[in-house]
Amino acid sequence: AWVAHPDLVPVARAVFDVVLGDRPHQLDRQRTDVVPDDRALIDLTGTHGLITETGIRTNLTVGVRYLETWLRGHGAVTLKNLMEDAATAEISRSQIWQWIHVHAVTDTGEVITREWVEQLLEDEFDRLPRFDDDRYDDARRLFEEVALREDFPEFLTLPAYTRHLRAGQRPALALQR
């Protein structure tokens, strides 16, 4: 389980206590069918599920909206009743980058290209809830840089540090307006 705030630990714990009772863990439920080696980690043949246009749009929206919040100095944002953070945005941009570069195909047969993703990003960007002093323009440029270029930047916020961090400032303070 994951909680967004320490005050939510008792809520999550109560659910676990119902299932676990007096047991402190589930180590007795080992998965002998899983071999956690390097080959298993990169073998995608056993993964199920389809890439959908809705999923692509969600990745675009989560990536841009998280980065906008991060540029204003916040580490997380609530989107559609989910707490999104750097890890979620990292997954979102990584999937977009990978799907473009492996020419992945959606459930409807659409080949995922940079041009198509740029069109979807334009659509999603136009739907964002803009407000005075928002950082959406910066966030979009940053997301495009880390998700749509040829090489794969090591981490999605690194280009922002270069562009928005002033010498001698701590990251959270430097990124607030």
Side-chain angles (χ1 to χ4, degrees):
W2 180 91
V3 295
H5 191 277
D7 289 345
L8 295 175
V9 171
V11 176
R13 182 71 189 239
V15 175
F16 275 83
D17 289 345
V18 168
V19 174
L20 296 176
D22 293 336
R23 297 177 301 150
H25 52 67
Q26 292 180 309
L27 294 177
D28 58 309
R29 298 186 66 192
Q30 296 293 310
R31 295 278 314 270
T32 57
D33 60 315
V34 175
V35 180
D37 62 14
D38 59 343
R39 286 189 197 114
L41 292 173
I42 61 172
D43 179 13
L44 300 180
T45 59
T47 58
H48 303 286
L50 300 169
I51 301 170
T52 65
E53 182 177 327
T54 300
I56 295 168
R57 288 177 180 276
T58 297
N59 280 350
L60 296 169
T61 301
V62 166
V64 171
R65 289 190 71 184
Y66 170 76
L67 287 170
E68 191 281 330
T69 301
W70 184 82
L71 287 168
R72 288 186 294 111
H74 303 283
V77 61
T78 303
L79 302 174
K80 298 183 181 180
N81 294 318
L82 296 173
M83 185 60 68
E84 308 294 11
D85 60 8
T88 312
E90 183 65 39
I91 291 166
S92 295
R93 75 93 181 196
S94 298
Q95 285 182 326
I96 295 291
W97 188 92
Q98 182 183 34
W99 292 338
I100 290 170
H101 286 83
V102 300
H103 311 289
V105 178
T106 68
D107 62 334
T108 61
E110 180 83 34
V111 176
I112 301 172
T113 64
R114 178 187 169 120
E115 294 76 23
W116 186 50
V117 170
E118 287 171 338
Q119 290 172 357
L120 297 177
L121 179 57
E122 184 70 31
D123 291 347
E124 294 305 308
F125 192 76
D126 288 344
R127 292 186 181 112
L128 293 173
R130 302 300 298 259
F131 53 91
D132 290 342
D133 296 325
D134 71 35
R135 301 291 303 270
Y136 280 120
D137 293 328
D138 294 330
R140 178 182 177 168
R141 281 191 293 278
L142 178 58
F143 186 82
E144 288 171 334
E145 182 174 344
V146 298
L148 300 180
R149 72 185 200 191
E150 275 306 306
D151 64 320
F152 186 75
E154 189 173 336
F155 193 71
L156 82 157
T157 56
L158 291 179
Y161 284 120
T162 303
R163 200 171 298 123
H164 299 286
L165 188 64
R166 292 183 195 91
Q169 287 184 314
R170 293 182 13 210
L173 298 175
L175 297 174
Q176 289 179 343
R177 273 192 147 173

